[in-house]
Amino acid sequence: MPLESIGKFETKRLGVLNERGEADPDLMPQLSEEEIRRMYELMLLARVFDERAVALQREGRIGTYPPILGQEAAQVGSAFALSPGDWVFPSFREMGVHLTLGFPIAQLLQYWGGDERAQKAPEGLNIFPFCVAVGSQIPHAVGAALAVRYRRDPAVVVTYFGDGATSKGDFHEGMNMAGVFKLPMVFICQNNQWAISVPLKTQTATTSLAQKAVAYGFEGVQVDGNDVFAVYRATREALEKARGGGGPTFIECLTYRMADHTTADDAGRYRPPEEVALWRERDPITRLERFLEARGAWTPQRRVEAKEKAARVIDDAIREMENVLPPAPAELFDGVLAALTPRQTGQKKGL
Amino acid sequence: MPLESIGKFETKRLGVLNERGEADPDLMPQLSEEEIRRMYELMLLARVFDERAVALQREGRIGTYPPILGQEAAQVGSAFALSPGDWVFPSFREMGVHLTLGFPIAQLLQYWGGDERAQKAPEGLNIFPFCVAVGSQIPHAVGAALAVRYRRDPAVVVTYFGDGATSKGDFHEGMNMAGVFKLPMVFICQNNQWAISVPLKTQTATTSLAQKAVAYGFEGVQVDGNDVFAVYRATREALEKARGGGGPTFIECLTYRMADHTTADDAGRYRPPEEVALWRERDPITRLERFLEARGAWTPQRRVEAKEKAARVIDDAIREMENVLPPAPAELFDGVLAALTPRQTGQKKGL
Amino acid sequence: MAQLNMVQAINQALAYEMEHDDRVVLLGEDVGRDGGVFRVTEGLIERFGSERVLDTPLCESGIMGAAIGMAAYGLRPVTEIQFMGFTYSAFEQLFAHAARVRSRSRGRFTCPLVVRTPYGGGIKAPELHEESTEALFCQVPGLKVVVPSGPYMAKGLLLSALRDPDPVLFLEPTRLYRLIREEVPEGEYVVELGKARVARAGGAVTVVAWGSMLERVLKAVDGYDAEVLDLLTLSPFDIGAVLASVRKTGRLVIVHEAAKSCGFGAEIAATVAEEAILHLRAPILRVTAPDVPVPLAKLIDHYLPGPQQIRGALDEVLQY
Amino acid sequence: MAQLNMVQAINQALAYEMEHDDRVVLLGEDVGRDGGVFRVTEGLIERFGSERVLDTPLCESGIMGAAIGMAAYGLRPVTEIQFMGFTYSAFEQLFAHAARVRSRSRGRFTCPLVVRTPYGGGIKAPELHEESTEALFCQVPGLKVVVPSGPYMAKGLLLSALRDPDPVLFLEPTRLYRLIREEVPEGEYVVELGKARVARAGGAVTVVAWGSMLERVLKAVDGYDAEVLDLLTLSPFDIGAVLASVRKTGRLVIVHEAAKSCGFGAEIAATVAEEAILHLRAPILRVTAPDVPVPLAKLIDHYLPGPQQIRGALDEVLQY
Ligand SMILES: Cc1ncc(C[n+]2csc(CCOP(=O)(O)OP(=O)(O)O)c2C)c(N)n1
Ligand SMILES: Cc1ncc(C[n+]2csc(CCOP(=O)(O)OP(=O)(O)O)c2C)c(N)n1
Ligand SMILES: [Mg+2]
Ligand SMILES: [Mg+2]
């Protein structure tokens, strides 16, 4: 019995599309040309959305905004795998997920414009409000998954969060419960390697985030987060497993925050330009373009057209957003309680 | 690059003394006869303390008390490895640690009698007050270790907690910081397999608690918690590593809570008597006696004498505890602030 | 009608509602096989199964967060936090989430959640087992706070809470769990949230109390012409009832077992000083614990307000 | 003397104390290389090294807990919590630990800890970035709560807090960070904790405020014979100063940006209703935010009490 081995664990990394745009045929997920085209357009839509949002903030037309530049594959690829009944508990930096799932674009902008009315997801789209308190949405997803299981619904619950969030107790308590109750869940970590100015190595002493799943008794996998096919494949497999009663999966999408943390941040203060330049070369959109190009399905012109199309969609949304009347003061009281307290009623009248 | 391995981990279990009392010579830690005798006496002291404390509670002479029956090896063995300047952040069920470190016995009883004045550790003994909020002491240990490092002190910081505590965010946040800052710490988990009525399998989906260290980038090891030599060895090694700048270690002492959760609990409600019976046969004290007996260093008479000696010590402590005058009402204000606020001053006067 | 104690009355309310509404599920530490550390959920796992009565890992914040997700999904979760002192680690989930699900999602999701927790002092238990920090939670817009004062009220209020569309913190005065027996109807009845109860009519002074202090107040006022209001719901509290009584008596004494500063008594006093000051003939007195942490057993009796202090305050305001 | 804004004044206080007391260490998210999200700790890691200015993982509760352990060991940690809304997850550590280290250990260990956090509304930032829940913390025996109202006070109060033997929550009104410039002496000076300041003398009505509301109040009272008290320390608050002013003016208006119910205004009003009611000629009015969660940018101006509301309250009490 002396010094006995009681557990062996291995963490793996999934990549499908290399940086030259070559897909591993054994790992390439089943996707129609049309689906791949759609993915590409969504990634461009996310890119254009992001560019416009940053510009709107600079012009003072919306408030502080957290760019998703560089994370398009991780967001679009994962959301693309979801089914309509699934539930999503996002953080605040997954606009690519919202866009993929068809969340109204004007509403996204309206939210970042400081209007909480925009957090109301359309009926039928189970996306929880943006969650600014890092990691605190994770236990909510656990609860929804408990409810899914209790109701015997076919849904899976997905929660998104960043590398920084893995340091929070919420992450731990949520992952642990998901393991114990073997819940139909997928934990998707957008490891963009920075939490504001704090680099990954100050966030954790581990070599991967995926290995953290060892602490919870279920599978964790790292995927190349700039590889939309790998992200899609890992998510789809995890969703299938969850739907089949196989329990939760933790997916680390290793990607990079190419922009500032938010429009209120200046990343130049704390990270070397070389690092950013390196990752700029790994742009997830470029990589997909290389793949398409090799198949004869892409030319630079294709990008221009797709971007123009995206820009029209976004511009419409901006107009729509800017036509929304500001909330009336009385809307302060909207939804605070199903029925206001007498004091609230008085306060509302007194406004 | 397809599905590449990015990390391999193995969790090990250390045992030195088997259930027949045979020690593995390769793993047996260096301990003099005198030290082993001292360990044995401390384990018996802990046992007698525990019996007396439960009896005192039954007689209404102290309040609710959490027995340590069965955890003597895990507590004495680990505390025995500590050096004088080390810091200890306990939970509430490590009276064997306090006894080993020389914490005044009367004070232990006084505390469980509902007198917080007893939480004042003697000068020179760096034991933090009992911590009832499960797991919440763990980050304090992290902070002390940061201070140790800052001060370049030779101390190591040890924190004790149960299996239940590993589900709390505090455990996670503390372990993670310890890994990131590579702190001189030892995390000692008393895995007694129950958290009140919640069995280990409802606490975690993992096969060991030790493997949780994989999530924090440092070593975790499981030891046979009913084997005082294994516990001692693992703790001493972890302390040496920490003192040498090698960073933290997580030690899972796999043991068993042979008694009720507290004197207010009835474990018969939720766990099978066979399980308890099984573990009663693995009594850590009996195991050490078998070891000693095989060396000709133990007879049943030896136990009787040692128990009598322990009983005298405890009885003195009980007398001492019962001679302590109850706190005066004004002591409510003791230590609330270095200087009371005007309102508090008024309240104190008005008592 | 059966004579029940509060543990039984609460158990009955939970069982009744679980029987009639399959959205109601319980979760918490030891609520299942053990029936809860105070046995409040005894027998429920046997009756409703382990899918509706969940023993959870030890993680109050996670439990609270999970309950929020369940509620948003359409269930009506009831969490038991083992002692009020352990709600602190779940504070963010309650404050920033449970209470804001409806407003953040503008009604798309809601949070019909009941958080039950033993509350208050006088049981000679360990550290953090006797907290009474209700005022922390009364400060949270979107959250209701209810404190029963006996078995009958406990059942009726809990049934209301279980049907409330918004989150309710249900504080169960631990000292009362088995202290009082009352007639409790077996079937369904509700006590409306937000309404105080005149526990004793009187004309010379109004005494406002709740939870386990009510029992103490009722004993202490013997011989005084005091009107005693049992607040029952602290958030939102029954401002109308308090003002009506104070306008009649002209004097107000508030009794609570929490420390004085920023205790819930402050809100009551401030409201009266705002709305009915001209009816007051005397200072508004608060009889409370002192501004110190809740002590352990040996000092708890000196910490909790006693009958003498209550009568002292009555005598003082009656001088005016 | 230099004209400094509050960011600079706080930075100077930290630098001064770090220079003179090697026990002072800073920790928090982004306090090092980034200099803090508001740049309050700018330049300190360069000057004092990464052993004294620690960038931590993202875990407020862990940060707070670690700071407690550092303080117990003998250091004087200063934690920055990035926004007040993120103190909620650290609430247990503050409430059940920081504030009780001294009493639980009966003085064997202490907790000289300063928790700094940006506080309050009006900066049009995301959710949870504009909270003003000071009253939660004023309810904690063993914890002090300080709110500067400008650069001069900020530096002097922070130096006091850094030297205080007990934990201090130092709330920095975010809206004021760069709004006001004042002469701030370069060297050492302290402003005593627990003392209010008469920000403007007057005879007809007392207005109590703190933090960013002070600035608003001072503008609003123009033309009124109002005495304005800047509370500066909320816990313990300067009861004597409030009572003295109210006894003189006979009227009290309290202004705070937190929601009304159980806001800190309640404690002030209750104290006055207890100690000086016979001096009052008018109801005690609280001008506060309504009982709703802090809204996002589009509604924040309707949430925060404005000059009109303040003047409305003054007009009302002056009628009596
Ligand atoms: C609990 C909490 N603490 C601090 C913050 C301030 N903050 C906003 S985002 C952020 C970093 C988050 O890092 P990560 O989880 O990696 O997500 P990312 O921003 O990279 O998408 C911080 C510290 C917050 N929003 N919530
Ligand atoms: C935060 C918190 N939640 C709940 C409790 C009530 N409680 C006391 S001990 C305990 C179980 C602890 O289990 P474990 O960590 O395994 O330690 P053990 O009691 O087995 O020594 C619980 C739930 C508590 N003290 N603290
Ligand atoms: Mg990140
Ligand atoms: Mg245990």
Side-chain angles (χ1 to χ4, degrees):
Chain A
M1 88 129 108
L3 197 54
E4 191 190 351
S5 174
I6 54 166
K8 288 196 171 146
F9 314 95
E10 186 173 7
T11 306
K12 292 192 174 158
R13 173 181 165 93
L14 175 70
V16 174
L17 200 58
N18 68 20
E19 293 197 28
R20 292 183 302 282
E22 299 152 357
D24 182 321
D26 295 338
L27 294 173
M28 181 66 195
Q30 277 203 326
L31 283 166
S32 67
E33 292 301 314
E34 164 61 19
E35 284 170 324
I36 296 173
R37 192 188 51 76
R38 183 94 193 99
M39 277 178 163
Y40 175 65
E41 287 179 0
L42 283 166
M43 284 166 71
L44 274 184
L45 183 70
R47 177 69 52 97
V48 175
F49 175 88
D50 205 54
E51 287 165 2
R52 285 287 205 282
V54 171
L56 287 172
Q57 191 282 332
R58 301 283 181 234
E59 294 162 16
R61 292 156 72 189
I62 64 171
T64 304
Y65 171 82
I68 57 172
L69 185 68
Q71 301 185 217
E72 296 88 351
Q75 299 187 0
V76 171
S78 55
F80 206 84
L82 295 177
S83 297
D86 293 341
W87 283 60
V88 177
F89 291 79
S91 82
F92 53 84
R93 198 195 296 282
E94 289 96 15
M95 278 64 80
V97 171
H98 287 80
L99 292 169
T100 303
L101 298 177
F103 194 94
I105 302 174
Q107 252 179 265
L108 286 178
L109 293 167
Q110 191 187 344
Y111 173 71
W112 291 111
D115 189 341
E116 51 261 277
R117 295 175 302 175
Q119 301 234 59
K120 181 171 187 160
E123 229 26 84
L125 199 52
N126 300 320
I127 305 187
F128 225 57
F130 289 92
C131 183
V132 163
V134 168
S136 61
Q137 74 279 18
I138 298 174
H140 307 159
V142 169
L146 279 164
V148 163
R149 205 182 55 165
Y150 175 58
R151 287 300 189 204
R152 312 258 184 279
D153 286 343
V156 177
V157 182
V158 176
T159 177
Y160 285 88
F161 48 87
D163 44 305
T166 64
S167 298
K168 285 284 287 186
D170 294 309
F171 165 79
H172 176 72
E173 299 191 358
M175 290 277 286
N176 190 52
M177 284 193 284
V180 165
F181 296 120
K182 220 180 172 196
L183 295 176
M185 291 185 73
V186 185
F187 293 85
I188 302 184
C189 179
Q190 301 276 303
N191 178 2
N192 63 12
Q193 306 190 54
W194 289 90
I196 311 187
S197 74
V198 177
L200 191 60
K201 69 169 195 300
T202 306
Q203 207 62 249
T204 180
T206 59
T207 49
S208 73
L209 295 176
Q211 77 194 59
K212 289 184 185 278
V214 171
Y216 309 104
F218 59 87
E219 198 193 345
V221 63
Q222 187 182 75
V223 304
D224 181 339
N226 285 10
D227 167 353
V228 71
F229 297 143
V231 174
Y232 172 77
R233 184 191 176 93
T235 312
R236 205 195 54 193
E237 282 178 5
L239 288 165
E240 278 167 13
K241 179 174 97 179
R243 241 183 278 281
T249 307
F250 174 70
I251 299 176
E252 172 193 3
C253 300
L254 185 66
T255 177
Y256 193 77
R257 198 193 80 210
M258 271 157 58
D260 294 330
H261 168 71
T262 65
T263 50
D265 175 54
D266 171 10
R269 294 174 63 86
Y270 52 77
R271 65 182 188 184
E274 311 85 66
E275 184 185 292
V276 185
L278 190 78
W279 281 91
R280 229 181 273 282
E281 281 168 28
R282 299 184 186 151
D283 188 317
I285 296 184
T286 317
R287 201 185 303 185
L288 182 56
E289 287 172 347
R290 288 186 187 132
F291 170 86
L292 292 169
E293 191 171 22
R295 292 192 168 201
W298 188 83
T299 61
Q301 181 56 22
R302 178 83 187 74
R303 165 174 253 189
V304 173
E305 285 165 20
K307 273 199 106 168
E308 276 171 4
K309 187 173 147 196
R312 282 194 298 275
V313 172
I314 305 289
D315 286 340
D316 285 350
I318 294 173
R319 257 189 304 279
E320 191 184 332
M321 180 267 289
E322 296 203 316
N323 282 332
V324 173
L325 290 178
E331 293 186 57
L332 276 172
F333 293 85
D334 276 14
V336 178
L337 285 167
L340 293 183
T341 68
R343 177 169 280 175
Q344 285 166 338
T345 307
Q347 289 171 338
K348 189 172 174 181
K349 263 197 226 124
L351 274 173
Chain B
M1 89 128 111
L3 197 53
E4 188 191 355
S5 174
I6 53 166
K8 287 197 171 147
F9 313 96
E10 185 173 8
T11 307
K12 292 192 173 161
R13 172 180 164 91
L14 175 70
V16 174
L17 201 58
N18 68 20
E19 293 198 27
R20 291 183 303 281
E22 298 153 359
D24 183 319
D26 294 338
L27 294 172
M28 182 66 195
Q30 276 204 326
L31 284 165
S32 67
E33 291 302 315
E34 165 59 20
E35 284 171 322
I36 296 175
R37 191 188 53 75
R38 183 91 194 101
M39 279 180 160
Y40 176 63
E41 286 179 1
L42 282 166
M43 286 167 72
L44 275 183
L45 183 70
R47 178 68 53 95
V48 174
F49 175 88
D50 204 53
E51 287 164 3
R52 285 287 206 281
V54 171
L56 288 172
Q57 191 283 331
R58 300 285 181 234
E59 294 162 14
R61 291 156 72 190
I62 65 170
T64 304
Y65 171 82
I68 57 173
L69 186 68
Q71 300 184 218
E72 295 88 349
Q75 299 187 1
V76 172
S78 55
F80 206 84
L82 295 178
S83 297
D86 293 341
W87 282 62
V88 177
F89 291 79
S91 81
F92 54 84
R93 198 196 296 282
E94 289 96 16
M95 278 66 78
V97 171
H98 287 80
L99 292 169
T100 303
L101 297 178
F103 194 93
I105 302 175
Q107 252 179 264
L108 285 178
L109 293 167
Q110 190 187 345
Y111 174 71
W112 291 111
D115 189 340
E116 52 261 278
R117 294 175 302 175
Q119 301 234 61
K120 181 171 185 158
E123 227 28 79
L125 199 52
N126 301 320
I127 306 187
F128 225 56
F130 289 92
C131 183
V132 163
V134 168
S136 61
Q137 75 280 18
I138 298 174
H140 307 160
V142 169
L146 280 165
V148 163
R149 207 183 52 166
Y150 175 58
R151 287 301 190 204
R152 312 258 185 281
D153 286 342
V156 176
V157 182
V158 176
T159 177
Y160 285 89
F161 49 88
D163 42 306
T166 64
S167 297
K168 286 283 288 186
D170 295 308
F171 165 78
H172 176 71
E173 299 190 359
M175 290 277 284
N176 190 52
M177 285 193 282
V180 165
F181 295 120
K182 219 177 173 201
L183 296 177
M185 291 186 72
V186 185
F187 293 86
I188 303 184
C189 178
Q190 300 276 303
N191 178 3
N192 62 13
Q193 306 191 53
W194 289 90
I196 309 188
S197 74
V198 177
L200 191 61
K201 69 169 193 300
T202 305
Q203 207 63 249
T204 180
T206 58
T207 49
S208 72
L209 296 176
Q211 77 194 58
K212 290 184 185 278
V214 171
Y216 309 104
F218 59 88
E219 199 194 346
V221 63
Q222 186 182 75
V223 304
D224 180 339
N226 284 11
D227 167 352
V228 70
F229 296 141
V231 173
Y232 172 77
R233 185 191 176 91
T235 312
R236 206 196 51 194
E237 282 179 5
L239 288 165
E240 277 166 15
K241 179 175 96 180
R243 240 182 280 280
T249 307
F250 174 70
I251 300 176
E252 171 193 3
C253 301
L254 185 67
T255 176
Y256 193 77
R257 196 193 80 208
M258 272 157 58
D260 295 329
H261 168 70
T262 65
T263 49
D265 175 54
D266 171 10
R269 295 173 64 87
Y270 52 78
R271 68 183 186 183
E274 313 84 66
E275 184 184 292
V276 185
L278 189 78
W279 280 92
R280 226 180 276 284
E281 281 171 25
R282 299 184 186 151
D283 188 317
I285 296 183
T286 317
R287 201 185 301 184
L288 182 56
E289 287 172 347
R290 288 186 187 130
F291 169 85
L292 292 168
E293 192 172 21
R295 293 192 168 202
W298 189 83
T299 61
Q301 180 57 22
R302 179 83 188 73
R303 164 174 252 187
V304 174
E305 284 165 20
K307 274 200 103 167
E308 276 170 4
K309 188 174 148 196
R312 281 192 300 275
V313 172
I314 306 290
D315 287 340
D316 285 350
I318 294 174
R319 256 188 305 279
E320 191 185 330
M321 179 268 289
E322 296 202 317
N323 281 333
V324 173
L325 289 178
E331 293 186 56
L332 276 172
F333 293 86
D334 277 14
V336 177
L337 286 167
L340 294 183
T341 68
R343 177 169 279 174
Q344 286 166 337
T345 307
Q347 290 171 337
K348 189 171 173 183
K349 263 197 224 124
L351 274 173
Chain C
M1 257 195 293
Q3 289 276 340
L4 301 186
N5 66 26
M6 196 187 288
V7 167
Q8 296 164 321
I10 295 172
N11 181 280
Q12 230 183 51
L14 292 171
Y16 183 90
E17 203 63 6
M18 291 180 81
E19 190 76 66
H20 292 83
D21 184 347
D22 79 348
R23 296 171 302 174
V24 179
V25 296
L26 313 187
L27 67 162
E29 295 154 19
D30 306 292
V31 296
R33 254 156 100 193
D34 198 35
V37 287
F38 286 103
R39 308 286 174 257
V40 173
T41 54
E42 183 149 36
L44 299 178
I45 195 169
E46 288 79 6
R47 199 159 148 202
F48 299 102
S50 60
E51 274 199 303
R52 293 188 67 191
V53 184
L54 270 95
D55 276 323
T56 65
L58 205 169
C59 53
E60 284 74 12
S61 183
I63 293 168
M64 199 71 85
I68 292 167
M70 291 171 112
Y73 195 90
L75 303 187
R76 288 184 162 270
V78 182
T79 66
E80 176 177 302
I81 300 294
Q82 225 154 55
F83 287 93
M84 190 182 205
F86 308 134
T87 60
Y88 302 152
S89 69
F91 195 74
E92 177 185 47
Q93 286 295 343
L94 253 183
F95 193 116
H97 286 296
R100 302 188 196 189
V101 169
R102 183 186 290 278
S103 59
R104 285 170 76 232
S105 72
R106 283 303 190 259
R108 172 72 166 79
F109 302 104
T110 62
C111 191
L113 158 68
V114 175
V115 179
R116 298 181 33 246
T117 191
Y119 143 84
I123 56 162
K124 313 231 158 166
E127 187 193 19
L128 291 169
H129 284 56
E130 310 205 8
E131 303 281 302
S132 56
T133 40
E134 59 269 28
L136 294 175
F137 301 95
C138 296
Q139 193 177 154
V140 184
L143 183 68
K144 297 189 172 116
V145 180
V146 174
V147 186
S149 52
Y152 178 88
M153 285 293 145
K155 180 172 173 184
L157 288 166
L158 184 52
L159 281 172
S160 286
L162 291 166
R163 293 164 191 189
D164 198 272
D166 289 305
V168 179
L169 177 66
F170 195 80
L171 301 172
E172 303 173 359
T174 324
R175 197 168 65 83
L176 302 185
Y177 265 150
R178 294 166 200 280
L179 187 72
I180 307 173
R181 284 187 171 270
E182 281 174 359
E183 305 252 300
V184 175
E186 193 146 333
E188 176 184 9
Y189 67 97
V190 294
V191 175
E192 196 186 338
L193 304 189
K195 295 278 170 252
R197 177 177 71 98
V198 179
R200 181 186 192 269
V205 52
T206 300
V207 185
V208 175
W210 54 91
S212 93
M213 281 299 120
L214 184 76
E215 178 249 5
R216 206 161 268 191
V217 164
L218 286 173
K219 281 188 189 143
V221 299
D222 203 43
Y224 291 84
D225 182 16
E227 177 143 300
V228 178
L229 288 188
D230 178 8
L231 224 41
L232 297 170
T233 301
L234 302 190
S235 182
F237 82 105
D238 192 342
I239 297 178
V242 173
L243 294 180
S245 181
V246 168
R247 287 194 179 116
K248 185 173 76 178
T249 63
R251 296 183 187 88
L252 175 60
V253 171
I254 303 154
V255 183
H256 63 63
E257 60 173 284
K260 181 171 194 168
S261 291
C262 290
F264 191 67
E267 180 54 48
I268 301 172
T271 300
V272 172
E274 193 154 15
E275 310 263 359
I277 202 162
L278 300 182
H279 295 84
L280 286 174
R281 294 184 229 180
I284 302 175
L285 296 190
R286 290 180 281 168
V287 181
T288 70
D291 285 358
V292 303
V294 184
L296 297 184
K298 296 266 188 218
L299 281 169
I300 191 76
D301 290 338
H302 300 293
Y303 173 83
L304 297 175
Q308 258 193 317
Q309 281 159 280
I310 299 168
R311 281 195 288 266
L314 294 176
D315 293 338
E316 189 175 335
V317 296
L318 288 169
Q319 281 173 11
Y320 290 87
Chain D
M1 259 195 294
Q3 289 275 341
L4 302 186
N5 66 26
M6 197 188 285
V7 167
Q8 297 164 319
I10 295 171
N11 181 280
Q12 227 183 52
L14 292 171
Y16 183 90
E17 204 63 6
M18 290 180 82
E19 190 75 67
H20 291 83
D21 184 348
D22 78 349
R23 296 171 304 173
V24 178
V25 296
L26 313 186
L27 68 163
E29 295 155 16
D30 307 292
V31 296
R33 253 155 98 194
D34 198 34
V37 287
F38 286 102
R39 309 283 175 258
V40 174
T41 55
E42 183 150 36
L44 298 179
I45 196 170
E46 288 78 7
R47 196 156 151 206
F48 299 103
S50 62
E51 275 199 302
R52 293 187 68 190
V53 184
L54 269 96
D55 275 324
T56 65
L58 205 168
C59 54
E60 284 74 10
S61 183
I63 293 168
M64 198 70 87
I68 292 167
M70 292 171 112
Y73 195 90
L75 303 187
R76 288 183 160 270
V78 182
T79 66
E80 176 177 302
I81 300 293
Q82 224 154 56
F83 287 94
M84 191 184 203
F86 308 134
T87 61
Y88 303 152
S89 69
F91 195 74
E92 178 185 47
Q93 287 295 344
L94 252 184
F95 193 117
H97 285 296
R100 301 188 196 189
V101 169
R102 183 187 291 278
S103 60
R104 285 170 76 232
S105 71
R106 284 300 190 262
R108 173 70 166 79
F109 302 105
T110 63
C111 190
L113 158 69
V114 174
V115 179
R116 296 181 35 244
T117 191
Y119 143 84
I123 56 162
K124 314 234 158 161
E127 186 192 21
L128 292 168
H129 285 57
E130 310 207 7
E131 303 280 301
S132 57
T133 41
E134 59 269 28
L136 293 173
F137 301 95
C138 297
Q139 192 178 155
V140 184
L143 183 68
K144 297 188 172 117
V145 180
V146 174
V147 186
S149 52
Y152 179 89
M153 284 293 145
K155 179 172 172 184
L157 287 166
L158 184 52
L159 282 172
S160 286
L162 291 166
R163 292 164 192 189
D164 198 272
D166 289 305
V168 179
L169 178 65
F170 195 80
L171 301 172
E172 302 172 359
T174 325
R175 197 167 65 83
L176 302 187
Y177 265 151
R178 294 168 200 279
L179 188 71
I180 308 172
R181 284 188 172 270
E182 282 174 358
E183 305 252 297
V184 174
E186 191 145 335
E188 175 185 10
Y189 67 98
V190 295
V191 175
E192 198 185 338
L193 304 189
K195 294 277 171 254
R197 178 178 71 99
V198 179
R200 179 186 193 270
V205 52
T206 301
V207 185
V208 175
W210 54 91
S212 92
M213 282 298 121
L214 184 77
E215 178 250 4
R216 205 161 270 193
V217 164
L218 286 174
K219 281 187 189 144
V221 299
D222 203 43
Y224 292 84
D225 181 16
E227 176 143 302
V228 178
L229 289 187
D230 178 9
L231 224 41
L232 297 171
T233 300
L234 302 189
S235 184
F237 81 105
D238 191 342
I239 297 178
V242 173
L243 294 179
S245 180
V246 169
R247 287 194 180 116
K248 183 173 77 178
T249 64
R251 297 182 187 88
L252 175 60
V253 171
I254 304 154
V255 183
H256 62 64
E257 60 171 283
K260 179 171 195 170
S261 291
C262 290
F264 191 67
E267 179 55 46
I268 301 172
T271 300
V272 171
E274 194 155 14
E275 310 263 358
I277 203 163
L278 300 184
H279 295 84
L280 287 173
R281 296 183 228 181
I284 302 175
L285 296 190
R286 290 179 280 168
V287 181
T288 70
D291 286 358
V292 304
V294 183
L296 297 185
K298 296 265 187 217
L299 282 169
I300 191 75
D301 290 339
H302 300 293
Y303 173 83
L304 297 175
Q308 259 193 316
Q309 281 160 281
I310 298 167
R311 280 194 289 265
L314 293 177
D315 292 339
E316 189 175 335
V317 297
L318 288 169
Q319 283 173 10
Y320 290 86

